[in-house]
């Protein structure tokens, strides 16, 4: 189920999906997640929303990346991923968006349940 998650300290609706996703997945405040992303992006000389930056932070925190099968690339959604993963914390990437799924719910500022995931990060080794 979609859970509204807007933790921007100024209450602003901005393009901050990476900050929101990492803050939820790592139990950080918005400011703490923003700081982690900005430091890593500076060190890597790329942008905060770059997959390599997100991955570096998640790997440092014990997450592993997994690909989602391409057997039916347009028929598996974030909603279905959440239903298939009722336990645990996952950071799910769609290619243009990132969202945290935690214990079967997805946390986002908008209902991204119909987005098509292409990869996910999890602390669980499959």
């Amino acid at each position: 189920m979609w859970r509204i998650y807007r933790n921007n300290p100024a209450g602003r609706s901005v393009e901050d999906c990476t900050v929101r996703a990492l803050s939820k997945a790592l139990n950080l405040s918005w400011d703490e997640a923003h700081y982690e992303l900005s430091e890593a992006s500076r060190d890597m000389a790329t942008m905060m929303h770059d997959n390599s930056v997100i991955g570096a932070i998640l790997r440092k925190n014990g997450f592993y990346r997994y690909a989602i099968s391409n057997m039916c690339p347009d028929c598996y959604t974030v909603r279905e991923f959440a239903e298939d993963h009722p336990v645990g914390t996952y950071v799910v990437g769609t290619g243009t968006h990132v969202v945290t799924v935690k214990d079967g719910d997805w946390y986002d500022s908008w209902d991204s349940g119909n987005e098509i995931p292409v990869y996910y990060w999890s602390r669980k080794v499959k």
Side-chain angles (χ1 to χ4, degrees):
M1 167 180 268
W2 170 44
R3 304 285 183 186
I4 296 174
Y5 186 65
R6 296 181 184 125
N7 66 334
N8 180 295
R12 297 184 63 198
S13 179
V14 295
E15 295 178 8
D16 62 352
C17 66
T18 55
V19 178
R20 284 193 319 270
L22 290 183
S23 71
K24 186 65 179 177
L26 302 176
N27 296 313
L28 300 173
S29 70
W30 190 94
D31 288 332
E32 291 168 327
H34 190 281
Y35 180 80
E36 290 285 326
L37 284 159
S38 64
E39 288 291 301
S41 69
R42 186 199 68 221
D43 292 347
M44 298 171 76
T46 190
M47 301 308 292
M48 288 174 42
H49 61 272
D50 193 276
N51 284 332
S52 63
V53 173
I54 298 165
I57 293 168
L58 290 171
R59 269 191 303 282
K60 182 176 80 173
N61 285 278
F63 282 72
Y64 296 87
R65 183 178 168 159
Y66 302 92
I68 293 180
S69 173
N70 198 20
M71 293 291 289
C72 185
D74 297 328
C75 65
Y76 190 64
T77 65
V78 167
R79 174 179 287 104
E80 291 166 322
F81 179 92
E83 291 169 358
D84 290 345
H85 296 85
V87 177
T89 300
Y90 307 87
V91 177
V92 179
T94 69
T96 59
H97 186 60
V98 64
V99 59
T100 293
V101 171
K102 192 168 191 175
D103 296 332
D105 295 322
W106 65 98
Y107 293 80
D108 211 340
S109 63
W110 57 284
D111 186 355
S112 56
N114 289 327
E115 295 294 303
I116 308 299
V118 294
Y119 67 85
Y120 69 95
W121 291 86
S122 171
R123 282 192 175 113
K124 293 182 176 182
V125 179
K126 301 279 178 179

